C-alpha cells in the first residue's frame, strides 16, 4: 500500500501513467489512493496559508487608506514613506517581502520603478510616476560654488602687478606697449587702433614680471575700459604731449578715482613739435591729479614710445609703485580668476583670455565661469606658446570651454564635471527666476493698462446701450495702415565677446528711430555660418563680420560686410540708413528780380496787373515757382507765372540784367515797386541721419 501511495503522488498530472496504473490495479483501490493524496495536499496548502498569515509583518497604526501616490526613479525609502503617508518602519517591513527591494535603510535609493510600484501596491496604493521634486535648500547648499574666504597671511606670496594702459585714442598706448615688450603689435592692429583687450607679461630688466592690459582708448569701448580697471592694480595713463587732456583722458581719471587705483602718468610724444609737458601737467592738476612738483605724489614721466625715450624711468616707476603696494597672492587651493576676453578660433575652438587671481591653474582643471564651464585642455601665453601652469597675476589663454564665458565673469575651479554641471543648472535656474521677477513688473503694468482700457470701453458700451456694443465695420487692427517707416536689419558677428559688446554699445546710441528703425536681429562670437546667412535671407539683413572669416561664396541676395575697425562699421551703417530714408523737398533759388513799375492792362473785360521787372541775379524761368518779398519779409510763395515777356515777345526765361514783364496767376496780391520776385525750384534730395555715436 505504501508503494502505491507513493506512486500515486508521483504521477499526479500525468494522464498516461495514470492509465497504465489503472490497468494494473483495481479502479476502486486507485480512486481511494487519489482521494487520500488530494486530501494530503489540501491540508498542506491550508497550513502554509495559515503560517503566512501568522508571520505577516505587523502593521503599526496603519491607516485604512488607498489611492494614488507619486513615485520617481531613485527615490529614497524615506521619500516613499512620506509619499505614501506611512511610517518608515511599515515600508521597511513590507520591503522584506518584495523581491529586489535591496537595502531598507531610510536613505537607500530605489532605482527600479517596478520595485517601487510593488512596494506601494502591497501597501494598498496605485502609483503615478512624476519628476523628482527639487528641494530649494538642498540646491542652494550643495550645488552652488562661491569664491573662497580671504586667505591667511602666512599663505600669501609676492605676485606680479597687473598694469592697465589707458588714455585717449591715438595717444600712443599700443606703441608704448610694443616698445616695452620689444614686439610690434601696433602694426598688426587695424589702422593702428586697438580693437579689443590684450593681456601679456613683460619681464623687466631687474627680473620682475609685470602683467599689462592693453585696452581700447576710444569712447565706444568705455565698458571694456571699465572691465580693465576692475582687473588692474596700477593704471598707466598715456597723455600726448601736444594734445593734453582729452575726453577719454577725463573718463579714465574718473574711473581710477572711483575704483581707488593708483595712477602713473606717461606723457608721450615729447619729441614731437608743439609738445608742452608743463601745460599737460597743469591740465592734469586742474582735473584732480596731484603730481610730483605740484603738491602731490603721483609720478609723471615724459616718454617717447616711438623712439624708446625714458622707458626705463617708466618701468622703474611701475616697479616702485608695485613694491610700495606690497601685492601678494595665494598660490595654493582652487583656482580663481577673471575673464578678460573670449573668442572662437576656427581651428582651436572656444578660447578665453583670463588673469589668475588665486591658486595655480594647470591642465585638466574643471572651471566654471558664469553659465559656462571648461575642462582645461591647453594653456597658452600671449605669444601662443603652451605653458604648464599659471600663477596669480599672470595672464593665460584657456582652451576647453564648452560655452564662451562673458568678459568680466569670475572663474572658479570645482572638483569634477558633475559639480560643474550642478552649478550651471543652479545658476540657470536662478537666472530664470530673476528674469521672471523682472518681467513680472512689466506684465503687471501691461495688465493694469489693459484693465483700465477694458473698464473704460465697458463703461462706454454701457452708456451707449446694448445694441451699440457690437463692433461696426472692420476692426482697428484690420484697417490700421502701415507706419511706413523704413527699417534696417543687421547681424553682428565678432571675433571676441568684447568686440561684439562694444559694437552693441555703439548701436545703443542710435536715436534716429523716428525716421528709420535699426534692428539687431542676431549677434554672436565666431565666423559667419549657414545659420547667419539663413537669418539674413529671412529678414533681409546685412551681416557685419568684425574681424572674422566669411564664406567664400555667400548665398545670392545676402550682403556680408567684413570690417575690422568700428569707425568703418558705423560709417557704413550711416550710409545704409541714409539710403533707407525717403527723399525730401529742397528749395533751390535760381533767380531774382526787382519790381520797377506796375502796369494795369485790359485783357478782354478783365483788368490785370503786369510787373515791370529787371532780373538782378541768376535766371528767371517761366515754368518755375515764385515768391514775393518786401523789405526782406516773405509776402507770398508757391506762385506761378501766367505770362513772361521780353519787349512784346513771350519767352521762357530771362537772364541777368534783362528787363521783362511778369504776370502772376494770383492777381489778388497787391505788389509795389521795390518788391523782390524770387524764382525757385523744388528738388528731391536725400536725407542724412542725425545719429552721432559720440566719436
Amino acid at each position: 500500500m505504501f508503494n502505491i501511495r507513493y506512486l500515486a503522488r508521483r504521477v499526479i498530472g500525468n494522464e498516461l501513467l495514470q492509465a497504465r496504473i489503472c490497468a494494473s490495479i483495481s479502479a476502486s483501490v486507485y480512486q481511494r489512493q487519489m482521494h487520500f493524496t488530494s486530501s494530503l495536499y489540501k491540508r498542506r496548502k491550508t497550513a502554509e496559508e495559515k503560517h503566512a498569515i501568522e508571520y505577516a509583518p505587523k502593521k503599526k497604526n496603519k491607516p485604512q487608506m488607498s489611492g494614488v501616490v507619486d513615485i520617481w526613479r531613485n527615490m529614497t525609502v524615506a521619500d516613499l514613506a512620506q509619499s505614501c503617508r506611512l511610517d518608515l518602519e511599515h515600508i521597511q517591513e513590507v520591503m522584506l517581502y518584495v523581491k529586489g527591494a535591496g537595502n531598507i535603510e531610510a536613505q537607500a535609493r530605489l532605482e527600479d520603478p517596478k520595485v517601487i510600484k510593488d512596494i506601494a501596491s502591497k501597501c494598498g496604493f496605485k502609483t503615478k510616476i512624476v519628476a523628482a521634486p527639487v528641494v530649494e535648500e538642498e540646491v542652494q547648499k550643495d550645488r552652488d560654488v562661491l569664491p573662497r574666504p580671504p586667505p591667511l597671511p602666512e599663505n600669501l606670496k609676492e605676485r606680479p602687478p597687473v598694469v592697465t594702459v589707458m588714455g585717449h585714442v591715438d595717444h600712443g598706448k599700443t606703441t608704448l606697449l610694443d616698445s616695452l615688450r620689444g614686439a610690434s603689435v601696433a602694426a598688426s592692429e587695424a589702422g593702428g587702433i586697438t580693437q579689443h583687450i590684450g593681456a601679456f607679461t613683460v619681464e623687466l630688466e631687474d627680473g620682475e614680471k609685470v602683467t599689462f592690459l592693453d585696452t581700447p582708448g576710444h569712447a565706444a569701448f568705455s565698458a571694456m575700459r571699465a572691465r580693465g580697471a576692475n582687473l588692474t592694480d596700477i593704471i598707466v595713463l598715456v597723455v600726448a604731449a601736444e594734445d593734453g587732456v582729452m575726453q577719454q583722458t577725463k573718463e579714465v581719471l574718473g574711473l581710477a578715482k572711483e575704483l581707488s587705483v593708483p595712477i602713473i602718468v606717461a606723457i608721450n610724444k615729447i619729441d614731437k613739435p608743439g609738445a608742452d609737458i608743463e601745460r599737460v601737467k597743469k591740465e592734469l592738476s586742474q582735473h584732480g591729479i596731484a603730481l610730483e612738483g605740484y603738491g602731490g605724489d603721483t609720478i609723471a614721466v615724459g616718454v617717447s614710445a616711438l623712439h624708446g625715450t625714458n622707458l626705463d624711468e617708466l618701468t622703474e616707476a611701475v616697479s616702485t609703485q608695485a613694491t610700495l603696494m606690497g601685492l601678494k597672492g595665494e598660490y595654493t587651493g582652487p583656482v580663481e580668476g577673471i575673464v578678460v576676453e573670449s573668442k572662437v578660433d576656427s581651428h582651436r575652438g572656444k578660447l578665453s583670455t583670463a588673469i589668475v587671481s588665486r591658486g595655480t591653474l594647470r591642465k585638466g582643471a574643471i572651471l566654471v565661469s558664469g553659465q559656462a564651464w571648461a575642462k582645461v585642455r591647453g594653456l597658452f601665453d600671449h605669444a601662443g606658446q603652451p605653458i604648464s601652469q599659471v600663477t596669480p597675476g599672470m595672464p593665460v589663454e584657456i582652451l576647453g570651454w564648452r560655452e564662451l564665458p562673458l568678459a568680466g565673469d569670475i572663474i572658479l575651479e570645482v572638483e569634477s564635471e558633475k559639480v560643474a554641471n550642478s552649478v550651471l543648472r543652479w545658476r540657470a535656474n536662478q537666472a530664470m527666476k530673476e528674469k521672471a521677477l523682472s518681467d513680472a513688473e512689466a506684465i503687471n503694468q501691461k495688465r493694469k493698462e489693459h484693465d483700465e482700457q477694458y473698464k473704460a470701453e465697458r463703461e462706454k458700451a454701457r452708456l451707449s446701450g446694448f445694441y451699440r456694443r457690437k463692433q461696426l465695420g472692420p476692426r482697428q487692427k484690420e484697417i490700421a495702415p502701415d507706419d511706413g517707416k523704413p527699417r534696417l536689419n543687421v547681424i553682428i558677428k565678432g571675433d571676441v565677446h568684447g568686440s561684439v559688446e562694444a559694437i552693441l554699445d555703439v548701436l545703443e546710441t542710435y536715436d534716429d528711430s523716428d525716421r528709420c528703425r535699426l534692428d539687431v536681429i542676431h549677434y554672436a562670437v565666431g565666423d559667419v555660418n549657414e545659420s547667419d546667412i539663413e537669418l539674413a535671407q529671412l529678414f533681409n539683413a546685412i551681416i557685419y563680420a568684425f574681424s572674422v572669416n566669411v564664406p567664400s561664396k555667400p548665398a545670392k541676395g545676402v550682403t556680408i560686410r567684413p570690417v575690422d575697425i568700428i569707425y568703418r562699421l558705423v560709417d557704413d551703417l550711416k550710409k545704409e540708413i541714409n539710403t533707407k530714408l525717403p527723399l525730401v523737398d529742397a528749395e533751390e533759388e535760381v533767380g531774382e528780380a526787382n519790381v520797377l513799375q506796375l502796369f494795369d492792362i485790359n485783357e478782354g473785360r478783365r483788368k490785370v496787373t503786369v510787373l515791370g521787372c529787371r532780373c538782378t541775379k541768376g535766371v528767371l524761368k517761366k515754368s518755375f515757382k515764385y515768391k514775393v518779398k518786401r523789405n526782406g519779409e516773405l509776402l507770398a510763395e508757391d506762385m506761378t507765372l501766367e505770362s513772361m515777356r521780353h519787349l512784346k515777345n513771350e519767352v521762357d526765361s530771362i537772364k541777368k540784367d534783362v528787363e521783362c514783364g511778369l504776370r502772376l496767376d494770383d492777381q489778388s496780391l497787391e505788389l509795389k515797386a521795390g518788391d523782390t520776385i524770387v524764382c525757385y525750384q523744388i528738388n528731391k534730395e536725400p536725407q542724412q541721419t542725425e545719429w552721432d555715436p559720440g566719436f
Side-chain angles (χ1 to χ4, degrees):
M1 182 63 69
F2 174 78
N3 293 334
I4 293 176
R5 291 177 180 175
Y6 175 78
L7 181 63
R9 290 199 300 270
R10 298 288 294 176
V11 301
I12 290 177
N14 193 326
E15 296 178 358
L16 180 59
L17 290 178
Q18 289 179 11
R20 291 179 180 178
I21 292 172
C22 289
S24 61
I25 62 177
S26 64
S28 61
V29 174
Y30 176 76
Q31 289 176 358
R32 286 198 300 271
Q33 298 303 324
M34 291 297 102
H35 178 74
F36 174 80
T37 304
S38 299
S39 300
L40 179 63
Y41 276 103
K42 287 180 180 178
R43 289 195 299 271
R44 180 177 298 175
K45 183 177 180 182
T46 303
E48 291 177 353
E49 292 176 351
K50 183 178 180 181
H51 180 273
I53 293 174
E54 290 178 355
Y55 290 91
K58 304 300 181 181
K59 300 178 181 179
K60 300 179 180 179
N61 301 326
K62 176 185 175 183
Q64 298 295 327
M65 59 186 302
S66 62
V68 180
V69 297
D70 295 338
I71 64 173
W72 55 90
R73 187 183 297 273
N74 292 325
M75 69 187 307
T76 64
V77 177
D79 291 337
L80 181 58
Q82 184 178 3
S83 183
C84 294
R85 297 182 181 178
L86 296 175
D87 293 337
L88 177 63
E89 293 81 359
H90 177 77
I91 296 294
Q92 291 172 332
E93 290 178 357
V94 173
M95 289 176 63
L96 296 174
Y97 297 91
V98 176
K99 185 177 180 181
N103 190 358
I104 66 171
E105 295 294 332
Q107 299 303 320
R109 297 283 179 179
L110 302 173
E111 299 180 355
D112 191 352
K114 184 178 179 181
V115 173
I116 304 174
K117 184 177 180 181
D118 291 343
I119 298 173
S121 178
K122 287 186 178 296
C123 294
F125 295 98
K126 295 181 180 180
T127 58
K128 179 178 68 174
I129 298 178
V130 298
V134 178
V135 182
E136 186 67 25
E137 294 76 14
E138 186 177 306
V139 174
Q140 175 75 19
K141 179 179 178 182
D142 299 334
R143 298 194 181 182
D144 192 21
V145 59
L146 298 172
R148 292 179 287 156
L152 298 175
E154 56 267 21
N155 295 335
L156 298 178
K157 298 180 181 179
E158 292 185 0
R159 65 167 177 85
V162 180
V163 180
T164 302
V165 179
M166 294 185 175
H168 192 75
V169 62
D170 198 31
H171 276 199
K173 300 183 301 298
T174 305
T175 306
L176 175 62
L177 291 167
D178 288 348
S179 300
L180 288 172
R181 62 180 173 178
S184 180
V185 172
S188 64
E189 294 283 4
I193 302 172
T194 303
Q195 298 298 312
H196 45 75
I197 291 180
F200 52 87
T201 302
V202 174
E203 186 171 352
L204 305 179
E205 293 182 356
D206 56 2
E208 296 185 7
K209 292 183 178 180
V210 178
T211 297
F212 282 97
L213 290 181
D214 182 18
T215 62
H218 46 76
F221 286 59
S222 58
M224 296 175 66
R225 282 205 309 276
R227 259 201 322 273
N230 290 332
L231 291 171
T232 192
D233 300 313
I234 303 171
I235 290 179
V236 172
L237 177 59
V238 180
V239 184
E242 79 276 16
D243 291 339
V245 176
M246 305 294 286
Q247 178 61 35
Q248 281 73 41
T249 312
K250 299 176 184 178
E251 294 180 9
V252 174
L253 294 176
L255 200 62
K257 184 177 181 181
E258 179 182 353
L259 299 173
S260 300
V261 179
I263 291 179
I264 296 176
V265 180
I267 304 176
N268 194 22
K269 304 181 182 181
I270 61 174
D271 53 345
K272 291 189 68 175
D276 191 345
I277 298 178
E278 293 301 321
R279 179 178 63 86
V280 174
K281 290 183 177 181
K282 290 180 180 179
E283 291 181 0
L284 290 171
S285 300
Q286 292 173 359
H287 287 85
I289 300 298
L291 300 175
E292 289 182 343
Y294 289 84
D297 55 358
T298 301
I299 303 174
V301 182
V303 299
S304 173
L306 187 62
H307 298 95
T309 306
N310 294 338
L311 292 187
D312 293 340
E313 295 184 17
L314 180 62
T315 55
E316 183 180 352
V318 172
S319 178
T320 303
Q321 183 65 46
T323 303
L324 293 175
M325 295 175 67
L327 301 174
K328 293 184 178 181
E330 186 180 16
Y331 284 65
T332 58
V335 173
E336 297 179 14
I338 299 179
V339 178
V340 175
E341 195 55 273
S342 57
K343 65 179 181 179
V344 177
D345 190 282
S346 57
H347 300 289
R348 296 187 292 172
K350 298 179 175 65
L351 299 168
S352 72
T353 301
I355 290 183
V356 176
S357 58
R358 197 171 180 184
T360 300
L361 178 60
R362 296 180 177 87
K363 186 177 178 180
I366 307 298
L367 306 178
V368 173
S369 177
Q371 297 193 31
W373 74 280
K375 182 176 182 180
V376 179
R377 294 191 287 116
L379 300 172
F380 305 92
D381 62 9
H382 66 272
Q385 299 299 318
I387 52 180
S388 59
Q389 64 180 22
V390 186
T391 54
M394 303 294 290
V396 62
E397 195 171 48
I398 302 173
L399 173 64
W401 291 99
R402 272 36 173 197
E403 297 292 336
L404 276 182
L406 301 181
D409 283 350
I410 297 176
I411 296 176
L412 299 173
E413 183 181 3
V414 296
E415 298 84 359
S416 63
E417 295 184 16
K418 183 177 180 181
V419 175
N421 290 324
S422 298
V423 171
L424 295 187
R425 285 195 298 268
W426 183 87
R427 292 182 176 180
N429 186 28
Q430 291 298 109
M432 292 178 61
K433 289 183 178 180
E434 291 175 1
K435 186 177 185 303
L437 291 176
S438 62
D439 292 345
E441 184 177 353
I443 293 173
N444 292 334
Q445 182 65 25
K446 286 286 185 182
R447 183 177 297 168
K448 182 179 179 181
E449 294 175 358
H450 179 270
D451 291 344
E452 292 176 354
Q453 182 181 0
Y454 170 73
K455 290 178 181 179
E457 292 178 354
R458 186 179 63 179
E459 183 66 17
K460 182 179 179 182
R462 187 185 67 81
L463 295 176
S464 60
F466 177 78
Y467 293 102
R468 295 185 182 181
R469 292 188 217 171
K470 294 184 178 180
Q471 176 70 31
L472 300 177
R475 298 183 181 274
Q476 181 64 27
K477 289 185 178 180
E478 299 174 354
I479 61 174
D482 187 7
D483 57 5
K485 291 183 181 179
R487 181 193 303 263
L488 177 62
N489 297 326
V490 296
I491 296 175
I492 305 297
K493 295 301 291 286
D495 56 343
V496 295
H497 174 261
S499 299
V500 175
E501 182 185 26
I503 293 172
L504 296 178
D505 288 343
V506 173
L507 299 186
E508 283 292 328
T509 64
Y510 182 74
D511 54 0
D512 203 6
S513 298
D514 293 338
R515 295 194 295 170
C516 178
R517 290 189 57 180
L518 176 60
D519 293 335
V520 180
I521 62 173
H522 178 63
Y523 62 89
V525 176
D527 297 337
V528 178
N529 52 37
E530 291 295 331
S531 176
D532 302 325
I533 294 176
E534 291 177 1
L535 275 176
Q537 289 176 328
L538 182 62
F539 290 95
N540 190 25
I542 299 175
I543 302 176
Y544 286 97
F546 192 86
S547 300
V548 296
N549 298 324
V550 299
S552 56
K553 294 182 179 179
K556 186 178 180 180
V558 176
T559 302
I560 302 178
R561 303 278 172 80
V563 291
D564 53 5
I565 299 178
I566 195 169
Y567 297 129
R568 295 177 184 171
L569 187 149
V570 173
D571 291 341
D572 190 84
L573 273 175
K574 287 183 178 180
K575 292 178 182 178
E576 290 293 334
I577 293 172
N578 292 338
T579 60
K580 297 285 185 179
L581 298 177
L583 299 177
V584 295
D585 294 338
E587 183 180 292
E588 179 188 4
E589 295 185 359
V590 297
E592 193 175 295
N594 286 336
V595 178
L596 302 178
Q597 191 174 354
L598 279 68
F599 302 95
D600 293 332
I601 63 174
N602 294 323
E603 190 178 75
R605 295 183 178 180
R606 188 164 64 116
K607 186 176 182 181
V608 296
T609 301
V610 176
L611 308 177
C613 304
R614 177 184 289 115
C615 182
T616 58
K617 184 188 300 183
V619 64
L620 305 180
K621 296 281 187 178
K622 181 180 179 181
S623 59
F624 287 4
K625 294 183 177 297
Y626 288 83
K627 55 186 175 181
V628 180
K629 293 182 178 180
R630 179 177 297 167
N631 297 327
E633 295 183 1
L634 183 65
L635 293 183
E637 61 181 348
D638 199 22
M639 305 177 68
T640 58
L641 290 182
E642 186 175 339
S643 175
M644 174 185 284
R645 293 193 178 189
H646 177 58
L647 301 178
K648 294 184 178 182
N649 301 322
E650 189 74 22
V651 294
D652 294 329
S653 63
I654 297 294
K655 296 181 180 180
K656 183 180 178 182
D657 296 331
V658 176
E659 295 184 352
C660 62
L662 304 178
R663 193 174 76 185
L664 300 173
D665 283 340
D666 186 4
Q667 291 292 316
S668 61
L669 186 63
E670 297 182 359
L671 301 182
K672 298 179 180 180
D675 291 344
T676 302
I677 306 293
V678 180
C679 176
Y680 67 94
Q681 63 177 345
I682 303 297
N683 298 325
K684 294 291 185 180
E685 293 184 356
Q687 297 187 67
Q688 300 290 326
T689 179
E690 298 177 356
W691 178 29
D692 182 12
F695 53 81

